[in-house]
Short mmCIF file of all heavy atoms in Angstrom, two decimals:
data_model
loop_
_atom_site.label_atom_id
_atom_site.label_comp_id
_atom_site.label_asym_id
_atom_site.label_seq_id
_atom_site.Cartn_x
_atom_site.Cartn_y
_atom_site.Cartn_z
N MET A 1 0.82 -1.20 0.00
CA MET A 1 0.00 0.00 0.00
C MET A 1 0.86 1.26 0.00
O MET A 1 0.47 2.27 -0.55
CB MET A 1 -0.91 -0.04 1.22
CG MET A 1 -1.96 1.03 1.23
SD MET A 1 -3.13 0.70 -0.06
CE MET A 1 -4.50 1.57 0.51
N ASN A 2 2.04 1.19 0.64
CA ASN A 2 2.91 2.36 0.70
C ASN A 2 3.47 2.71 -0.68
O ASN A 2 3.78 3.86 -0.94
CB ASN A 2 4.07 2.12 1.67
CG ASN A 2 3.56 2.02 3.10
OD1 ASN A 2 2.47 2.48 3.41
ND2 ASN A 2 4.36 1.40 3.94
N ASP A 3 3.62 1.73 -1.54
CA ASP A 3 4.21 1.97 -2.85
C ASP A 3 3.20 2.43 -3.88
O ASP A 3 3.57 2.75 -5.01
CB ASP A 3 4.89 0.70 -3.36
CG ASP A 3 6.06 0.29 -2.49
OD1 ASP A 3 6.65 1.20 -1.88
OD2 ASP A 3 6.35 -0.90 -2.43
N LEU A 4 1.94 2.47 -3.53
CA LEU A 4 0.89 2.78 -4.49
C LEU A 4 1.01 4.21 -5.04
O LEU A 4 0.99 4.40 -6.26
CB LEU A 4 -0.49 2.58 -3.86
CG LEU A 4 -1.68 2.85 -4.78
CD1 LEU A 4 -1.67 1.89 -5.96
CD2 LEU A 4 -2.98 2.74 -4.02
N ILE A 5 1.15 5.17 -4.18
CA ILE A 5 1.19 6.57 -4.64
C ILE A 5 2.44 6.85 -5.48
O ILE A 5 2.32 7.42 -6.58
CB ILE A 5 1.07 7.53 -3.45
CG1 ILE A 5 -0.33 7.39 -2.83
CG2 ILE A 5 1.32 8.97 -3.88
CD1 ILE A 5 -0.54 8.20 -1.58
N PRO A 6 3.64 6.44 -5.06
CA PRO A 6 4.80 6.69 -5.92
C PRO A 6 4.72 5.96 -7.26
O PRO A 6 5.13 6.51 -8.29
CB PRO A 6 5.99 6.18 -5.10
CG PRO A 6 5.53 6.22 -3.69
CD PRO A 6 4.07 5.97 -3.74
N ARG A 7 4.16 4.74 -7.27
CA ARG A 7 4.02 4.01 -8.54
C ARG A 7 3.04 4.72 -9.46
O ARG A 7 3.29 4.84 -10.67
CB ARG A 7 3.58 2.58 -8.30
CG ARG A 7 4.73 1.67 -7.88
CD ARG A 7 4.33 0.22 -7.91
NE ARG A 7 3.32 -0.01 -6.87
CZ ARG A 7 2.36 -0.93 -6.96
NH1 ARG A 7 2.27 -1.70 -7.99
NH2 ARG A 7 1.48 -1.07 -5.97
N LEU A 8 1.91 5.18 -8.90
CA LEU A 8 0.94 5.91 -9.73
C LEU A 8 1.53 7.22 -10.26
O LEU A 8 1.32 7.58 -11.42
CB LEU A 8 -0.33 6.20 -8.93
CG LEU A 8 -1.27 5.02 -8.70
CD1 LEU A 8 -2.42 5.45 -7.80
CD2 LEU A 8 -1.80 4.51 -10.02
N ALA A 9 2.29 7.90 -9.43
CA ALA A 9 2.91 9.15 -9.88
C ALA A 9 3.92 8.89 -10.98
O ALA A 9 4.00 9.63 -11.96
CB ALA A 9 3.58 9.84 -8.68
N ALA A 10 4.71 7.81 -10.86
CA ALA A 10 5.69 7.47 -11.90
C ALA A 10 5.01 7.10 -13.20
O ALA A 10 5.45 7.50 -14.29
CB ALA A 10 6.59 6.33 -11.41
N ARG A 11 3.91 6.33 -13.11
CA ARG A 11 3.17 5.97 -14.33
C ARG A 11 2.57 7.19 -15.01
O ARG A 11 2.62 7.32 -16.23
CB ARG A 11 2.06 4.98 -14.01
CG ARG A 11 2.53 3.58 -13.92
CD ARG A 11 1.34 2.69 -13.81
NE ARG A 11 1.71 1.35 -14.24
CZ ARG A 11 0.87 0.36 -14.25
NH1 ARG A 11 -0.37 0.52 -13.89
NH2 ARG A 11 1.28 -0.84 -14.63
N LEU A 12 1.98 8.06 -14.19
CA LEU A 12 1.39 9.28 -14.75
C LEU A 12 2.46 10.14 -15.40
O LEU A 12 2.26 10.67 -16.50
CB LEU A 12 0.66 10.07 -13.65
CG LEU A 12 0.04 11.39 -14.07
CD1 LEU A 12 -1.07 11.15 -15.10
CD2 LEU A 12 -0.48 12.14 -12.88
N ARG A 13 3.61 10.24 -14.77
CA ARG A 13 4.69 11.04 -15.33
C ARG A 13 5.18 10.46 -16.66
O ARG A 13 5.41 11.19 -17.62
CB ARG A 13 5.84 11.11 -14.32
CG ARG A 13 7.00 11.92 -14.77
CD ARG A 13 6.61 13.34 -14.86
NE ARG A 13 7.72 14.11 -15.38
CZ ARG A 13 7.62 15.35 -15.75
NH1 ARG A 13 6.47 15.98 -15.64
NH2 ARG A 13 8.64 15.98 -16.23
N SER A 14 5.34 9.15 -16.72
CA SER A 14 5.81 8.55 -17.97
C SER A 14 4.76 8.69 -19.07
O SER A 14 5.09 8.92 -20.24
CB SER A 14 6.18 7.08 -17.76
OG SER A 14 5.02 6.34 -17.44
N TRP A 15 3.48 8.56 -18.72
CA TRP A 15 2.42 8.74 -19.72
C TRP A 15 2.42 10.18 -20.23
O TRP A 15 2.28 10.42 -21.43
CB TRP A 15 1.06 8.39 -19.11
CG TRP A 15 -0.07 8.56 -20.08
CD1 TRP A 15 -0.45 7.70 -21.06
CD2 TRP A 15 -0.95 9.68 -20.17
NE1 TRP A 15 -1.53 8.21 -21.76
CE2 TRP A 15 -1.84 9.44 -21.23
CE3 TRP A 15 -1.07 10.87 -19.46
CZ2 TRP A 15 -2.84 10.34 -21.59
CZ3 TRP A 15 -2.06 11.76 -19.82
CH2 TRP A 15 -2.93 11.49 -20.88
N LEU A 16 2.55 11.15 -19.30
CA LEU A 16 2.58 12.55 -19.72
C LEU A 16 3.80 12.85 -20.60
O LEU A 16 3.71 13.63 -21.55
CB LEU A 16 2.57 13.47 -18.49
CG LEU A 16 1.24 13.58 -17.74
CD1 LEU A 16 1.42 14.37 -16.46
CD2 LEU A 16 0.19 14.22 -18.62
N ASP A 17 4.95 12.23 -20.28
CA ASP A 17 6.15 12.45 -21.10
C ASP A 17 5.98 11.88 -22.50
O ASP A 17 6.49 12.46 -23.47
CB ASP A 17 7.38 11.81 -20.44
CG ASP A 17 7.89 12.64 -19.27
OD1 ASP A 17 7.53 13.84 -19.19
OD2 ASP A 17 8.64 12.09 -18.43
N ARG A 18 5.27 10.75 -22.62
CA ARG A 18 5.03 10.21 -23.96
C ARG A 18 4.01 11.04 -24.72
O ARG A 18 4.11 11.24 -25.93
CB ARG A 18 4.54 8.76 -23.86
CG ARG A 18 5.68 7.77 -23.66
CD ARG A 18 5.17 6.35 -23.62
NE ARG A 18 4.74 6.10 -22.23
CZ ARG A 18 3.59 5.53 -21.90
NH1 ARG A 18 2.77 5.11 -22.81
NH2 ARG A 18 3.27 5.36 -20.64
N ARG A 19 2.98 11.49 -24.00
CA ARG A 19 1.90 12.25 -24.64
C ARG A 19 2.35 13.66 -25.01
O ARG A 19 2.02 14.18 -26.07
CB ARG A 19 0.72 12.30 -23.67
CG ARG A 19 -0.47 13.05 -24.16
CD ARG A 19 -1.46 12.13 -24.84
NE ARG A 19 -2.72 12.83 -25.03
CZ ARG A 19 -3.17 13.17 -26.23
NH1 ARG A 19 -2.50 12.83 -27.29
NH2 ARG A 19 -4.30 13.80 -26.34
N PHE A 20 3.07 14.30 -24.11
CA PHE A 20 3.55 15.67 -24.32
C PHE A 20 5.05 15.70 -24.09
O PHE A 20 5.51 16.06 -23.00
CB PHE A 20 2.87 16.64 -23.34
CG PHE A 20 1.37 16.58 -23.36
CD1 PHE A 20 0.66 15.94 -22.35
CD2 PHE A 20 0.66 17.17 -24.39
CE1 PHE A 20 -0.72 15.90 -22.35
CE2 PHE A 20 -0.72 17.13 -24.40
CZ PHE A 20 -1.42 16.49 -23.39
N PRO A 21 5.84 15.34 -25.10
CA PRO A 21 7.30 15.32 -24.91
C PRO A 21 7.83 16.74 -24.66
O PRO A 21 7.25 17.73 -25.13
CB PRO A 21 7.84 14.75 -26.22
CG PRO A 21 6.74 14.87 -27.18
CD PRO A 21 5.45 14.92 -26.44
N PRO A 22 8.91 16.86 -23.90
CA PRO A 22 9.48 18.18 -23.64
C PRO A 22 9.91 18.86 -24.93
O PRO A 22 10.48 18.25 -25.82
CB PRO A 22 10.70 17.89 -22.76
CG PRO A 22 10.50 16.51 -22.24
CD PRO A 22 9.62 15.81 -23.21
N GLY A 23 9.60 20.12 -25.05
CA GLY A 23 9.98 20.89 -26.24
C GLY A 23 9.02 20.74 -27.41
O GLY A 23 9.30 21.22 -28.50
N ALA A 24 7.89 20.04 -27.23
CA ALA A 24 6.97 19.81 -28.34
C ALA A 24 6.00 20.97 -28.52
O ALA A 24 5.29 21.03 -29.51
CB ALA A 24 6.18 18.52 -28.12
N GLY A 25 5.97 21.89 -27.57
CA GLY A 25 5.03 23.01 -27.65
C GLY A 25 5.50 24.07 -28.64
O GLY A 25 6.58 23.98 -29.23
N PRO A 26 4.68 25.08 -28.86
CA PRO A 26 5.09 26.15 -29.77
C PRO A 26 6.25 26.93 -29.16
O PRO A 26 6.38 27.07 -27.95
CB PRO A 26 3.84 27.03 -29.88
CG PRO A 26 3.07 26.76 -28.63
CD PRO A 26 3.37 25.33 -28.27
N GLU A 27 7.11 27.42 -30.05
CA GLU A 27 8.26 28.20 -29.58
C GLU A 27 7.78 29.56 -29.09
O GLU A 27 6.93 30.19 -29.71
CB GLU A 27 9.26 28.38 -30.71
CG GLU A 27 9.95 27.09 -31.12
CD GLU A 27 11.03 27.36 -32.14
OE1 GLU A 27 11.51 28.50 -32.22
OE2 GLU A 27 11.36 26.43 -32.86
N PRO A 28 8.34 30.01 -28.00
CA PRO A 28 7.94 31.34 -27.52
C PRO A 28 8.46 32.42 -28.46
O PRO A 28 9.50 32.27 -29.11
CB PRO A 28 8.59 31.44 -26.15
CG PRO A 28 9.72 30.47 -26.18
CD PRO A 28 9.29 29.37 -27.12
N ALA A 29 7.71 33.49 -28.54
CA ALA A 29 8.11 34.60 -29.42
C ALA A 29 9.37 35.26 -28.84
O ALA A 29 9.51 35.37 -27.63
CB ALA A 29 6.99 35.62 -29.51
N PRO A 30 10.28 35.68 -29.71
CA PRO A 30 11.48 36.34 -29.19
C PRO A 30 11.10 37.68 -28.55
O PRO A 30 10.13 38.32 -28.95
CB PRO A 30 12.35 36.56 -30.44
CG PRO A 30 11.39 36.53 -31.58
CD PRO A 30 10.27 35.61 -31.16
N PRO A 31 11.84 38.08 -27.53
CA PRO A 31 11.52 39.36 -26.88
C PRO A 31 11.74 40.51 -27.85
O PRO A 31 12.60 40.45 -28.73
CB PRO A 31 12.48 39.43 -25.71
CG PRO A 31 13.60 38.52 -26.06
CD PRO A 31 13.00 37.45 -26.93
N PRO A 32 10.94 41.57 -27.73
CA PRO A 32 11.12 42.69 -28.65
C PRO A 32 12.45 43.37 -28.42
O PRO A 32 12.98 43.38 -27.31
CB PRO A 32 9.96 43.62 -28.29
CG PRO A 32 9.58 43.26 -26.90
CD PRO A 32 9.89 41.80 -26.76
N ALA A 33 13.00 43.89 -29.49
CA ALA A 33 14.29 44.57 -29.40
C ALA A 33 14.12 45.88 -28.64
O ALA A 33 13.12 46.58 -28.80
CB ALA A 33 14.82 44.86 -30.81
N PRO A 34 15.07 46.23 -27.78
CA PRO A 34 14.94 47.49 -27.03
C PRO A 34 15.03 48.69 -27.97
O PRO A 34 15.79 48.70 -28.93
CB PRO A 34 16.11 47.45 -26.05
CG PRO A 34 17.07 46.47 -26.61
CD PRO A 34 16.27 45.50 -27.43
N VAL A 35 14.24 49.68 -27.65
CA VAL A 35 14.22 50.90 -28.46
C VAL A 35 15.25 51.86 -27.90
O VAL A 35 15.25 52.16 -26.71
CB VAL A 35 12.81 51.54 -28.43
CG1 VAL A 35 12.79 52.84 -29.21
CG2 VAL A 35 11.79 50.56 -28.97
N ALA A 36 16.14 52.33 -28.74
CA ALA A 36 17.17 53.28 -28.30
C ALA A 36 16.56 54.68 -28.24
O ALA A 36 16.03 55.19 -29.23
CB ALA A 36 18.35 53.26 -29.26
N ARG A 37 16.60 55.25 -27.05
CA ARG A 37 16.08 56.60 -26.88
C ARG A 37 17.24 57.54 -26.62
O ARG A 37 18.18 57.19 -25.91
CB ARG A 37 15.14 56.66 -25.68
CG ARG A 37 13.89 55.89 -25.89
CD ARG A 37 12.97 56.09 -24.71
NE ARG A 37 12.27 54.83 -24.48
CZ ARG A 37 11.84 54.41 -23.33
NH1 ARG A 37 12.02 55.13 -22.27
NH2 ARG A 37 11.21 53.27 -23.22
N PRO A 38 17.17 58.76 -27.15
CA PRO A 38 18.26 59.70 -26.88
C PRO A 38 18.23 60.12 -25.41
O PRO A 38 17.19 60.17 -24.78
CB PRO A 38 17.96 60.88 -27.81
CG PRO A 38 16.50 60.78 -28.08
CD PRO A 38 16.16 59.32 -28.03
N ALA A 39 19.40 60.42 -24.88
CA ALA A 39 19.49 60.84 -23.48
C ALA A 39 18.88 62.24 -23.34
O ALA A 39 18.99 63.07 -24.23
CB ALA A 39 20.95 60.88 -23.04
N PRO A 40 18.20 62.51 -22.22
CA PRO A 40 17.63 63.84 -22.03
C PRO A 40 18.74 64.87 -21.89
O PRO A 40 19.82 64.57 -21.38
CB PRO A 40 16.82 63.71 -20.74
CG PRO A 40 17.41 62.56 -20.03
CD PRO A 40 17.94 61.64 -21.09
N PRO A 41 18.50 66.09 -22.33
CA PRO A 41 19.54 67.10 -22.24
C PRO A 41 19.78 67.48 -20.77
O PRO A 41 18.88 67.48 -19.95
CB PRO A 41 18.97 68.29 -23.02
CG PRO A 41 17.50 68.08 -22.99
CD PRO A 41 17.28 66.60 -22.95
N LEU A 42 21.03 67.79 -20.46
CA LEU A 42 21.38 68.19 -19.11
C LEU A 42 21.01 69.65 -18.88
O LEU A 42 21.04 70.46 -19.81
CB LEU A 42 22.88 68.00 -18.87
CG LEU A 42 23.39 66.57 -18.94
CD1 LEU A 42 24.90 66.53 -18.82
CD2 LEU A 42 22.76 65.74 -17.84
N PRO A 43 20.65 70.03 -17.65
CA PRO A 43 20.36 71.44 -17.39
C PRO A 43 21.64 72.27 -17.47
O PRO A 43 22.74 71.75 -17.36
CB PRO A 43 19.79 71.44 -15.97
CG PRO A 43 20.30 70.20 -15.36
CD PRO A 43 20.46 69.21 -16.47
N ALA A 44 21.45 73.57 -17.68
CA ALA A 44 22.61 74.45 -17.77
C ALA A 44 23.33 74.48 -16.43
O ALA A 44 22.72 74.44 -15.37
CB ALA A 44 22.16 75.85 -18.15
N HIS A 45 24.65 74.53 -16.49
CA HIS A 45 25.45 74.53 -15.28
C HIS A 45 25.28 75.85 -14.54
O HIS A 45 25.36 76.92 -15.13
CB HIS A 45 26.92 74.31 -15.61
CG HIS A 45 27.80 74.32 -14.41
ND1 HIS A 45 27.77 73.33 -13.47
CD2 HIS A 45 28.71 75.21 -13.99
CE1 HIS A 45 28.64 73.61 -12.52
NE2 HIS A 45 29.22 74.75 -12.81
N ARG A 46 25.05 75.76 -13.24
CA ARG A 46 24.89 76.97 -12.44
C ARG A 46 25.65 76.78 -11.14
O ARG A 46 25.36 75.87 -10.37
CB ARG A 46 23.42 77.21 -12.14
CG ARG A 46 23.16 78.59 -11.61
CD ARG A 46 21.76 78.74 -11.15
NE ARG A 46 21.90 79.06 -9.73
CZ ARG A 46 20.99 78.90 -8.82
NH1 ARG A 46 19.85 78.40 -9.13
NH2 ARG A 46 21.21 79.22 -7.60
N SER A 47 26.61 77.60 -10.91
CA SER A 47 27.41 77.50 -9.71
C SER A 47 26.87 78.44 -8.64
O SER A 47 26.58 79.60 -8.92
CB SER A 47 28.86 77.87 -10.01
OG SER A 47 29.61 77.94 -8.82
N PRO A 48 26.74 77.98 -7.40
CA PRO A 48 26.29 78.89 -6.34
C PRO A 48 27.36 79.91 -5.98
O PRO A 48 27.08 80.92 -5.35
CB PRO A 48 25.99 77.96 -5.17
CG PRO A 48 26.80 76.76 -5.42
CD PRO A 48 26.91 76.63 -6.91
N TYR A 49 28.60 79.68 -6.38
CA TYR A 49 29.68 80.60 -6.06
C TYR A 49 29.86 81.68 -7.12
O TYR A 49 30.62 82.60 -6.92
CB TYR A 49 30.99 79.83 -5.90
CG TYR A 49 30.88 78.74 -4.88
CD1 TYR A 49 30.87 77.41 -5.27
CD2 TYR A 49 30.75 79.03 -3.54
CE1 TYR A 49 30.76 76.40 -4.33
CE2 TYR A 49 30.63 78.03 -2.59
CZ TYR A 49 30.64 76.72 -2.98
OH TYR A 49 30.53 75.73 -2.06
N GLY A 50 29.16 81.56 -8.21
CA GLY A 50 29.32 82.53 -9.28
C GLY A 50 28.28 83.64 -9.25
O GLY A 50 27.96 84.21 -10.27
N LEU A 51 27.72 83.94 -8.10
CA LEU A 51 26.73 85.00 -8.00
C LEU A 51 27.38 86.36 -8.19
O LEU A 51 28.57 86.55 -7.89
CB LEU A 51 26.02 84.93 -6.64
CG LEU A 51 25.29 83.60 -6.37
CD1 LEU A 51 24.74 83.61 -4.95
CD2 LEU A 51 24.18 83.40 -7.35
N ASP A 52 26.60 87.33 -8.65
CA ASP A 52 27.16 88.65 -8.96
C ASP A 52 27.60 89.39 -7.70
O ASP A 52 28.64 90.03 -7.69
CB ASP A 52 26.13 89.49 -9.72
CG ASP A 52 25.88 88.92 -11.11
OD1 ASP A 52 26.77 88.22 -11.63
OD2 ASP A 52 24.78 89.15 -11.65
N GLY A 53 26.80 89.36 -6.67
CA GLY A 53 27.15 90.12 -5.47
C GLY A 53 27.02 89.27 -4.23
O GLY A 53 26.59 88.12 -4.27
N PRO A 54 27.40 89.83 -3.09
CA PRO A 54 27.28 89.06 -1.85
C PRO A 54 25.82 88.92 -1.43
O PRO A 54 24.97 89.73 -1.80
CB PRO A 54 28.06 89.89 -0.83
CG PRO A 54 28.02 91.28 -1.38
CD PRO A 54 28.00 91.15 -2.88
N LEU A 55 25.55 87.92 -0.68
CA LEU A 55 24.20 87.70 -0.18
C LEU A 55 23.95 88.60 1.02
O LEU A 55 24.80 88.74 1.90
CB LEU A 55 24.00 86.24 0.24
CG LEU A 55 24.06 85.20 -0.86
CD1 LEU A 55 23.98 83.81 -0.27
CD2 LEU A 55 22.92 85.42 -1.84
N ALA A 56 22.78 89.22 1.05
CA ALA A 56 22.42 90.06 2.18
C ALA A 56 21.82 89.17 3.27
O ALA A 56 20.85 88.47 3.04
CB ALA A 56 21.42 91.11 1.74
N GLY A 57 22.39 89.23 4.47
CA GLY A 57 21.92 88.39 5.55
C GLY A 57 20.56 88.81 6.08
O GLY A 57 19.81 88.00 6.61
N ASP A 58 20.23 90.10 5.96
CA ASP A 58 18.94 90.57 6.46
C ASP A 58 17.79 90.12 5.56
O ASP A 58 16.66 89.97 6.02
CB ASP A 58 18.93 92.11 6.55
CG ASP A 58 19.99 92.60 7.52
OD1 ASP A 58 20.38 91.82 8.42
OD2 ASP A 58 20.42 93.76 7.38
N VAL A 59 18.06 89.93 4.30
CA VAL A 59 17.02 89.60 3.34
C VAL A 59 16.74 88.09 3.33
O VAL A 59 15.60 87.66 3.20
CB VAL A 59 17.43 90.07 1.92
CG1 VAL A 59 16.37 89.70 0.91
CG2 VAL A 59 17.68 91.55 1.92
N SER A 60 17.78 87.30 3.51
CA SER A 60 17.59 85.85 3.42
C SER A 60 17.09 85.28 4.74
O SER A 60 17.28 85.87 5.80
CB SER A 60 18.92 85.19 3.03
OG SER A 60 19.87 85.39 4.05
N ALA A 61 16.46 84.12 4.66
CA ALA A 61 15.96 83.46 5.86
C ALA A 61 17.13 82.87 6.64
O ALA A 61 18.16 82.49 6.06
CB ALA A 61 14.98 82.36 5.47
N LEU A 62 16.99 82.81 7.94
CA LEU A 62 18.05 82.24 8.77
C LEU A 62 18.15 80.74 8.54
O LEU A 62 17.15 80.05 8.41
CB LEU A 62 17.76 82.51 10.24
CG LEU A 62 17.93 83.95 10.71
CD1 LEU A 62 17.49 84.06 12.15
CD2 LEU A 62 19.37 84.39 10.57
N VAL A 63 19.37 80.26 8.54
CA VAL A 63 19.57 78.82 8.41
C VAL A 63 19.19 78.15 9.71
O VAL A 63 18.60 77.08 9.73
CB VAL A 63 21.04 78.52 8.05
CG1 VAL A 63 21.29 77.03 8.05
CG2 VAL A 63 21.38 79.13 6.71
N ARG A 64 19.51 78.80 10.83
CA ARG A 64 19.15 78.27 12.14
C ARG A 64 18.19 79.25 12.79
O ARG A 64 18.60 80.16 13.52
CB ARG A 64 20.41 78.08 13.00
CG ARG A 64 21.35 77.05 12.38
CD ARG A 64 22.56 76.86 13.22
NE ARG A 64 23.43 78.03 13.05
CZ ARG A 64 24.59 78.21 13.68
NH1 ARG A 64 25.00 77.31 14.54
NH2 ARG A 64 25.31 79.26 13.47
N PRO A 65 16.89 79.12 12.57
CA PRO A 65 15.94 80.11 13.05
C PRO A 65 15.89 80.21 14.57
O PRO A 65 15.53 81.25 15.11
CB PRO A 65 14.60 79.66 12.48
CG PRO A 65 14.79 78.26 12.06
CD PRO A 65 16.24 78.05 11.83
N TYR A 66 16.28 79.18 15.29
CA TYR A 66 16.23 79.25 16.74
C TYR A 66 17.27 80.22 17.29
O TYR A 66 17.21 80.63 18.43
CB TYR A 66 16.43 77.86 17.35
CG TYR A 66 17.71 77.18 16.92
CD1 TYR A 66 18.89 77.39 17.62
CD2 TYR A 66 17.73 76.32 15.83
CE1 TYR A 66 20.06 76.77 17.23
CE2 TYR A 66 18.89 75.71 15.45
CZ TYR A 66 20.06 75.93 16.14
OH TYR A 66 21.21 75.31 15.76
N LEU A 67 18.25 80.62 16.47
CA LEU A 67 19.23 81.60 16.90
C LEU A 67 18.71 83.03 16.79
O LEU A 67 19.33 83.95 17.31
CB LEU A 67 20.51 81.47 16.09
CG LEU A 67 21.35 80.22 16.36
CD1 LEU A 67 22.58 80.21 15.48
CD2 LEU A 67 21.74 80.14 17.81
N GLY A 68 17.60 83.23 16.13
CA GLY A 68 17.06 84.57 15.95
C GLY A 68 16.78 85.27 17.26
O GLY A 68 17.18 86.42 17.48
N ASP A 69 16.14 84.61 18.20
CA ASP A 69 15.85 85.21 19.50
C ASP A 69 17.12 85.43 20.29
O ASP A 69 17.29 86.46 20.96
CB ASP A 69 14.90 84.31 20.28
CG ASP A 69 13.53 84.20 19.62
OD1 ASP A 69 13.20 85.13 18.87
OD2 ASP A 69 12.84 83.19 19.84
N THR A 70 18.04 84.47 20.23
CA THR A 70 19.29 84.60 20.96
C THR A 70 20.09 85.79 20.46
O THR A 70 20.62 86.59 21.25
CB THR A 70 20.11 83.32 20.83
OG1 THR A 70 19.31 82.20 21.18
CG2 THR A 70 21.36 83.35 21.68
N LEU A 71 20.18 85.93 19.15
CA LEU A 71 20.91 87.07 18.58
C LEU A 71 20.23 88.39 18.90
O LEU A 71 20.90 89.39 19.17
CB LEU A 71 21.05 86.89 17.07
CG LEU A 71 21.93 85.72 16.61
CD1 LEU A 71 21.88 85.59 15.10
CD2 LEU A 71 23.35 85.90 17.09
N ALA A 72 18.91 88.42 18.92
CA ALA A 72 18.18 89.63 19.25
C ALA A 72 18.45 90.03 20.71
O ALA A 72 18.59 91.21 21.02
CB ALA A 72 16.69 89.45 19.01
N ARG A 73 18.54 89.06 21.63
CA ARG A 73 18.83 89.36 23.03
C ARG A 73 20.25 89.87 23.19
O ARG A 73 20.52 90.75 24.00
CB ARG A 73 18.63 88.10 23.87
CG ARG A 73 17.18 87.80 24.13
CD ARG A 73 17.04 86.69 25.18
NE ARG A 73 15.87 85.91 24.79
CZ ARG A 73 15.86 84.62 24.53
NH1 ARG A 73 16.95 83.92 24.63
NH2 ARG A 73 14.74 84.02 24.19
N GLU A 74 21.19 89.28 22.41
CA GLU A 74 22.58 89.73 22.53
C GLU A 74 22.73 91.16 22.04
O GLU A 74 23.50 91.93 22.59
CB GLU A 74 23.49 88.80 21.73
CG GLU A 74 23.68 87.45 22.36
CD GLU A 74 24.57 86.55 21.52
OE1 GLU A 74 25.06 87.01 20.47
OE2 GLU A 74 24.74 85.39 21.90
N VAL A 75 22.02 91.53 20.99
CA VAL A 75 22.11 92.88 20.44
C VAL A 75 21.48 93.85 21.42
O VAL A 75 21.96 94.98 21.62
CB VAL A 75 21.44 92.94 19.07
CG1 VAL A 75 21.33 94.36 18.57
CG2 VAL A 75 22.19 92.06 18.08
N ALA A 76 20.39 93.47 22.10
CA ALA A 76 19.68 94.36 23.02
C ALA A 76 20.50 94.59 24.28
O ALA A 76 20.36 95.62 24.91
CB ALA A 76 18.33 93.76 23.38
N VAL A 77 21.33 93.69 24.66
CA VAL A 77 22.10 93.83 25.91
C VAL A 77 23.29 94.71 25.74
O VAL A 77 23.80 95.26 24.98
CB VAL A 77 22.56 92.46 26.44
CG1 VAL A 77 23.49 92.60 27.62
CG2 VAL A 77 21.36 91.62 26.78
#
């Protein structure tokens, strides 16, 4: 009884191999050739050091805003 399942599986496998031999199916279609696309243009080079004039500290936002109150207290004292 223990050999029944493996024997049935082996018979089924051999029958399937005779009925549908490996490689007997239709050939798969070849993959489509990749389409060559031109590279996107690069943006114009812009250096942060090439500005015309110096940056005004009063006009720009503080990098460390928590220092604003501290600096205001130091100036008032």
